[in-house]
Amino acid sequence: MKRWMEWFQNHSLRFKMVVLLFAVVVVLQVFNGLVFTSIVSNKFEENISESNLKTVQQMAINLNQAMEDIVDEMVPIRDEVLSRQILNDGEEDSNDYISQYIVYQGMFNQLIAADNNYQFINSMLILNGSQNYTFVLDEYLKLNGEPLFEKILKDNKMTKQCQWGAPVPDSYFFSRDKEQVISIIMPVYRYGEVKSMLIVNLREEAIRKYLEKLGGGDSTLMLQFDRDNAVFGQPEQWERFTSEEQKTLMKFEGWEEVEEIGSSVAMSSLLSVNQWKISMVTAKSSISSSAKVLSQYIIVIIFTTGIVLFVCVSYIVFIVTKPIKKMTETIEANRHTRQITHRFHPRYRDEVGVLAAAYNQLMDEIQQLMADIEKEQIQSRKNYVKMLQMQIKPHFLYNTLEAAKFLVEMGDPNGIEMLTTVGKFYKLSLSGIYDQVTIREETEHLTCYLQILKLRYNSKYEYSVEVDEKIMENEIIKFSLQPLVENAVYHGIKRQRKKGFIKVLGYQEENMIVLAVWDNGAGIEKEKLEALQKKLGFAENLQTADHIGVMNVHQRIRMQYGEPYGLSISSEEGVFTRAEVRLPVRRMRD
């Protein structure tokens, strides 16, 4: 707790004020949200359940009305069958078959034309012991030839004036199985016996589509004909329930309007015309989620109110602390830059304004002092570079004169060429007032030096210079390659018996220029190579009498260009030595 308080106190005044304000707003709004949303959610869940029950009851009324309309249209047809039976005293008149068929056909057309009966009806049959009348919407359906009158009497108990059968395939009546049908049977009695019967077959698929039109949203609509048969508004929804829940849902007896079934709630209502049961099964989570949506809206309102309150008060805090924060930002900006050029100019002459004026004056004085120190450092750096160059020139001059002296003493016929080459070499060495030259100029200078050594050690080594033309106009520090060739000759080629070879390479590698001097001389012992590489790693602060030429080349490049540029050396004793100079890709200024 103490550590947290220290962390909090170390932040800005604006931060502390805003955090405290935020904490107060959050506590108040959370309290209001928890209490208010809990009350509203519970009430809303009750309203959803009541609304779903009323919806199911209204669906039952609508479907019941549709079924009653069909039954009402069947009654005149049944009465017509009864009147003809009485008229003929129970005997069928075969000569009157066509006229009766036409009458019944008209009644069938009236039956399917009434209200929305067309969508439900599959067919109509008038059966008796001797003659059958069949009326179907599909003209290809024909009776299957079985004695349907006796079969239906056997399969159904005729105890009511209107009998509703269980779903059966229409092949029960016809010669081809196309769909499931539900039969409405009206028996025609004479002397206490069933002499004829009127049957209207309803399409089970049409009833299912009717349920789909009614719609259940996220709920499952189920219409049960009995405890074994039912249709669903969306058949795939039935798979969402477990086998135990399915058994409970199919329970037909012991009906209740509202029942909890596992993680769901079933709202049910009976159809008075046939005692079918229509149910809407809704997941408890769905009801809860609907209530949660309302709660979320309430929370959003509370949250929005809290934000508005927080923003308004924060704006007041912002106005009060803005000058202090601006002053702090100016100080931080100067702390992270060497120029310290940032200044704060307040609008008012209050306490912050007086503090800012004193700070600006102090920064002006410090900036002037830093400028003076930087000038001294630049001059000191130039003097140090000049000193390094002076170490190289006498060293190279001494070795050149030694080579010329050797040729003269030996009476070499190439003496004139030697002197010409030496003259050209010094002309290139002494020309110009700048420390930087192009790689082309440095290559010409190095070629002269190689030629001088070649004339001296004609039988000792060969050389080649292969520098990519694309990098010739890039800059390099004078005398960067000559000490490397000098080392290759004196410390590599001369220390072996076989004929030596020196290769100078130049190319661009990604964003660097690489200039390499390779020789097949004696190489460098592993311990000495590691010591040399270590010295190159700390060359900026190293004062040494060893490897003057190599170290000076590396120091001059690092002083001019910084890391990762400079010199690196690799070698294998008795095989080769390779010295690489890495430079930035920088064109020489005119």
Side-chain angles (χ1 to χ4, degrees):
M1 186 65 180
K2 182 179 179 181
R3 181 178 299 178
W4 185 88
M5 287 300 297
E6 289 179 357
W7 172 85
F8 180 75
Q9 292 294 342
N10 286 330
H11 280 76
S12 66
L13 178 62
R14 178 186 295 180
F15 176 82
K16 287 185 281 191
M17 293 177 68
V18 170
V19 167
L20 292 175
L21 172 64
F22 179 77
V24 172
V25 172
V26 167
V27 170
L28 289 176
Q29 298 300 83
V30 167
F31 177 78
N32 292 335
L34 290 176
V35 174
F36 191 62
T37 55
S38 176
I39 296 173
V40 172
S41 296
N42 293 336
K43 188 63 178 176
F44 188 67
E45 288 185 13
E46 294 177 3
N47 292 340
I48 290 177
S49 299
E50 293 176 3
S51 175
N52 285 350
L53 179 58
K54 291 180 180 179
T55 300
V56 170
Q57 291 172 344
Q58 186 60 49
M59 289 180 180
I61 292 171
N62 294 340
L63 186 57
N64 189 78
Q65 184 62 49
M67 297 298 104
E68 283 185 348
D69 289 343
I70 295 174
V71 172
D72 290 343
E73 293 296 329
M74 289 176 64
V75 171
I77 302 175
R78 183 197 61 183
D79 293 343
E80 177 67 20
V81 174
L82 178 59
S83 64
R84 288 185 177 275
Q85 182 175 307
I86 295 172
L87 181 63
N88 296 326
D89 195 23
E91 298 295 331
E92 295 291 340
D93 184 0
S94 58
N95 296 325
D96 197 33
Y97 178 83
I98 295 176
S99 63
Q100 291 186 51
Y101 185 87
I102 294 172
V103 172
Y104 293 144
Q105 179 68 60
M107 290 184 170
F108 175 70
N109 293 337
Q110 184 177 350
L111 171 65
I112 62 176
D115 298 318
N116 292 319
N117 295 346
Y118 182 88
Q119 64 176 322
F120 294 110
I121 293 175
N122 168 275
S123 57
M124 183 182 81
L125 293 86
I126 300 174
L127 305 176
N128 55 37
S130 59
Q131 289 185 333
N132 300 323
Y133 298 90
T134 306
F135 306 93
V136 295
L137 297 178
D138 187 346
E139 62 180 355
Y140 297 104
L141 287 178
K142 305 297 181 183
L143 291 177
N144 59 21
E146 296 183 28
L148 291 177
F149 185 81
E150 290 77 8
K151 183 179 180 180
I152 294 171
L153 281 177
K154 179 181 178 182
D155 294 343
N156 296 272
K157 295 179 181 180
M158 298 298 175
T159 59
K160 299 178 181 178
Q161 291 296 322
C162 183
Q163 185 83 22
W164 293 79
V168 295
D170 60 9
S171 59
Y172 183 90
F173 302 97
F174 303 103
S175 59
R176 186 164 55 128
D177 183 4
K178 289 186 61 179
E179 60 181 342
Q180 292 287 106
V181 295
I182 302 168
S183 299
I184 307 174
I185 306 172
M186 285 188 174
V188 180
Y189 293 92
R190 183 160 178 80
Y191 305 120
E193 293 183 7
V194 178
K195 296 296 183 178
S196 302
M197 61 180 70
L198 170 63
I199 302 172
V200 173
N201 293 322
L202 306 180
R203 298 170 53 236
E204 185 184 80
E205 177 67 15
I207 296 175
R208 186 184 66 79
K209 289 183 177 180
Y210 184 77
L211 291 179
E212 288 182 356
K213 290 180 181 179
L214 293 177
D218 294 332
S219 303
T220 301
L221 282 182
M222 179 175 69
L223 178 62
Q224 290 177 261
F225 309 118
D226 52 39
R227 65 183 304 162
D228 298 317
N229 298 283
V231 293
F232 302 90
Q234 294 177 315
E236 65 275 5
Q237 291 182 340
W238 181 243
E239 304 298 328
R240 298 191 308 185
F241 302 105
T242 65
S243 58
E244 195 63 35
E245 288 175 334
Q246 289 177 354
K247 290 179 182 179
T248 305
L249 284 169
M250 290 301 293
K251 182 181 69 175
F252 200 79
E253 295 82 1
W255 170 81
E256 298 288 343
E257 283 189 335
V258 179
E259 287 191 23
E260 290 192 7
I261 301 171
S263 59
S264 304
V265 179
M267 315 289 181
S268 304
S269 182
L270 287 178
L271 276 65
S272 60
V273 68
N274 52 17
Q275 297 302 297
W276 290 352
K277 183 173 76 172
I278 185 170
S279 302
M280 177 185 287
V281 186
T282 307
K284 295 178 182 177
S285 59
S286 177
I287 298 175
S288 300
S289 63
S290 299
K292 287 179 181 178
V293 171
L294 179 62
S295 300
Q296 289 170 358
Y297 284 129
I298 296 173
I299 291 173
V300 168
I301 294 173
I302 295 174
F303 180 72
T304 304
T305 305
I307 289 178
V308 172
L309 176 62
F310 178 74
V311 169
C312 292
V313 180
S314 296
Y315 181 71
I316 297 173
V317 173
F318 175 81
I319 293 175
V320 174
T321 59
K322 181 178 178 181
I324 300 175
K325 183 172 177 57
K326 184 64 177 177
M327 182 70 181
T328 304
E329 290 175 351
T330 302
I331 296 173
E332 284 295 316
N334 284 330
R335 186 169 69 87
H336 292 289
T337 58
R338 296 186 60 185
Q339 288 76 20
I340 59 174
T341 56
H342 301 278
R343 299 292 183 270
F344 175 51
H345 303 286
R347 182 179 299 180
Y348 306 107
R349 296 293 298 174
D350 54 5
E351 290 81 355
V352 177
V354 174
L355 180 62
Y359 174 78
N360 292 340
Q361 183 178 357
L362 178 62
M363 290 299 103
D364 291 340
E365 295 174 358
I366 293 176
Q367 188 177 27
Q368 183 60 44
L369 180 61
M370 289 179 64
D372 295 341
I373 294 174
E374 186 175 5
K375 289 180 181 178
E376 294 178 2
Q377 289 178 342
I378 292 173
Q379 186 61 40
S380 176
R381 180 179 174 183
K382 289 182 179 180
N383 294 338
Y384 181 64
V385 171
K386 294 293 184 183
M387 181 190 71
L388 293 177
Q389 290 180 343
M390 290 180 66
Q391 290 182 359
I392 291 178
K393 291 177 182 177
H395 181 67
F396 173 68
L397 177 61
Y398 172 77
N399 286 298
T400 302
L401 293 176
E402 283 294 318
K405 177 182 177 183
F406 177 78
L407 288 175
V408 172
E409 290 176 349
M410 295 296 294
D412 194 309
N414 294 320
I416 295 176
E417 183 180 353
M418 174 71 168
L419 292 175
T420 302
T421 305
V422 170
K424 183 178 179 181
F425 175 79
Y426 274 102
K427 180 180 179 182
L428 293 170
S429 299
L430 299 176
S431 64
I433 59 174
Y434 300 106
D435 293 330
Q436 287 81 29
V437 295
T438 64
I439 293 178
R440 187 185 303 279
E441 293 171 329
E442 182 71 3
T443 302
E444 292 178 1
H445 179 264
L446 183 65
T447 303
C448 290
Y449 180 73
L450 285 167
Q451 183 64 21
I452 292 171
L453 295 183
K454 179 69 170 61
L455 291 172
R456 181 177 177 183
Y457 305 108
N458 185 38
S459 61
K460 196 68 176 175
Y461 82 99
E462 296 289 341
Y463 73 89
S464 68
V465 179
E466 301 174 8
V467 180
D468 192 342
E469 182 65 27
K470 295 179 181 179
I471 67 171
M472 283 297 193
E473 301 307 319
N474 286 280
E475 72 173 41
I476 186 174
I477 299 176
K478 271 186 177 181
F479 309 123
S480 294
L481 300 180
Q482 177 264 324
L484 306 181
V485 173
E486 183 178 351
N487 282 347
V489 174
Y490 288 101
H491 300 292
I493 302 300
K494 289 181 63 177
R495 292 172 57 187
Q496 66 172 6
R497 293 183 179 182
K498 65 180 180 180
K499 189 170 184 178
F501 188 80
I502 297 175
K503 182 185 290 185
V504 179
L505 301 172
Y507 54 91
Q508 182 172 339
E509 184 179 86
E510 294 181 354
N511 59 344
M512 284 189 182
I513 299 295
V514 178
L515 296 167
V517 177
W518 180 92
D519 70 83
N520 64 344
I524 305 174
E525 296 176 5
K526 184 177 180 180
E527 293 78 9
K528 291 183 178 180
L529 178 62
E530 291 176 353
L532 178 58
Q533 290 172 340
K534 186 175 181 181
K535 288 180 180 180
L536 290 174
F538 299 95
E540 289 80 356
N541 302 316
L542 185 65
Q543 300 295 329
T544 178
D546 299 328
H547 310 289
I548 294 177
V550 172
M551 296 305 299
N552 282 346
V553 169
H554 185 61
Q555 287 178 326
R556 291 169 64 206
I557 293 173
R558 280 290 178 89
M559 289 286 290
Q560 182 67 28
Y561 303 117
E563 293 188 22
Y565 308 108
L567 179 64
S568 64
I569 296 177
S570 59
S571 180
E572 183 176 344
E573 188 175 1
V575 181
F576 76 93
T577 300
R578 179 184 174 98
E580 285 189 359
V581 173
R582 293 183 176 269
L583 303 169
V585 180
R586 185 180 298 176
R587 303 284 288 184
M588 185 69 184
R589 302 188 190 92
D590 296 331

